[in-house]
Amino acid sequence: GQNIDQPTEMTATEGAIVQINCTYQTSGFNGLFWYQQHAGEAPTFLSYNVLDGLEEKGRFSSFLSRSKGYSYLLLKELQMKDSASYLCAVMDSNYQLIWGAGTKLIIKP
Amino acid sequence: GAVVSQHPSRVICKSGTSVKIECRSLDFQATTMFWYRQFPKKSLMLMATSNEGSKATYEQGVEKDKFLINHASLTLSTLTVTSAHPEDSSFYICSARGVAGAGDSYEQYFGPGTRLTVT
């Protein structure tokens, strides 16, 4: 079966760095996405990785290792507005998105 | 970036009535649109995938006669919840994917969601 695993909840301090991990087992791989979702809102796109390595975009970076079925989202200089759920999703061989359950990130002052 | 709109944003209806939710891609042609459902504190659950001009493909466990999907044009898909019941109350989100091209990431652009409450 297809499976995406990520921690249910994480807590971090304002100004700090946090890494949210995602491991996956899917039938085929056509890229991995990270989305941010604030409560009651639709997800917004953060990053897309299809090749191994680190993609940096401002305060957010995403890393992928296809051989390990592993990705992480790194958030630097945390701000209170970063409190949200972070969803990891993998596009399988049929170009369908397989979603993780999301990681709720709580930022404390 | 690509914009997807969804209407209405919130709707309250009585049990037994039908509700139509519209999803529009405003500045691109969406060959494929997806309808998701999300319960509180849960992940997105794909309900169905629709391609313009053809019948929607429903995920296992989703009643196609209850959740009617129409993708009549490259910019509009509709989801109709027929004979709604309180257990249908949820957050419904659509997303759209444009025409694939070289280097396309197959990114899905999400609408803002529709909060349905059935009383």
Side-chain angles (χ1 to χ4, degrees):
Chain A
Q2 309 205 93
N3 195 47
I4 311 282
D5 284 318
Q6 53 181 129
T8 304
E9 187 174 296
M10 299 182 70
T11 302
T13 305
E14 189 177 16
I17 299 173
V18 71
Q19 177 175 310
I20 303 174
N21 296 324
C22 171
T23 58
Y24 63 90
Q25 290 178 307
T26 57
S27 56
F29 180 83
N30 279 299
L32 185 144
F33 297 79
W34 283 97
Y35 284 86
Q36 179 192 61
Q37 186 178 27
H38 286 99
E41 298 180 11
T44 55
F45 172 78
L46 289 179
S47 67
Y48 169 74
N49 293 69
V50 69
L51 299 175
D52 289 351
L54 186 68
E55 294 276 346
E56 297 186 75
K57 191 185 293 186
R59 293 189 300 116
F60 294 2
S61 302
S62 57
F63 171 83
L64 174 67
S65 169
R66 287 172 298 173
S67 62
K68 295 181 180 178
Y70 168 70
S71 172
Y72 67 73
L73 179 69
L74 190 71
L75 293 76
K76 303 176 184 176
E77 301 169 16
L78 287 170
Q79 301 175 10
M80 298 303 293
K81 66 178 182 179
D82 297 330
S83 292
S85 286
Y86 291 85
L87 305 171
C88 172
V90 173
M91 185 164 283
D92 69 8
S93 56
N94 293 318
Y95 296 97
Q96 298 278 49
L97 277 181
I98 311 301
W99 293 89
T103 299
K104 183 179 180 181
L105 177 63
I106 300 169
I107 309 296
K108 295 185 175 181
Chain B
V3 179
V4 175
S5 71
Q6 207 171 321
H7 178 81
S9 57
R10 290 178 181 272
V11 57
I12 301 172
C13 70
K14 292 187 177 180
S15 187
T17 61
S18 294
V19 175
K20 180 185 282 189
I21 302 170
E22 291 187 349
C23 178
R24 293 181 185 271
S25 56
L26 299 185
D27 51 4
F28 68 102
Q29 292 184 326
T31 53
T32 306
M33 286 188 170
F34 303 86
W35 286 96
Y36 293 89
R37 183 174 181 177
Q38 188 175 35
F39 292 101
K41 299 182 182 180
K42 298 291 185 183
S43 185
L44 296 170
M45 183 191 81
L46 179 65
M47 298 175 65
T49 302
S50 72
N51 293 294
E52 186 265 339
S54 62
K55 290 185 178 181
T57 302
Y58 289 81
E59 296 299 302
Q60 194 172 10
V62 178
E63 298 176 60
K64 59 182 67 178
D65 294 332
K66 180 169 184 62
F67 298 99
L68 301 178
I69 291 171
N70 184 284
H71 192 164
S73 75
L74 286 171
T75 59
L76 173 66
S77 176
T78 60
L79 167 68
T80 302
V81 182
T82 63
S83 187
H85 287 95
E87 57 264 30
D88 298 325
S89 298
S90 191
F91 191 47
Y92 292 88
I93 307 172
C94 75
S95 70
R97 192 168 74 198
V99 178
D104 194 281
S105 68
Y106 293 94
E107 180 186 341
Q108 291 183 24
Y109 303 97
F110 285 88
T114 297
R115 176 76 58 192
L116 171 63
T117 304
V118 185
T119 60

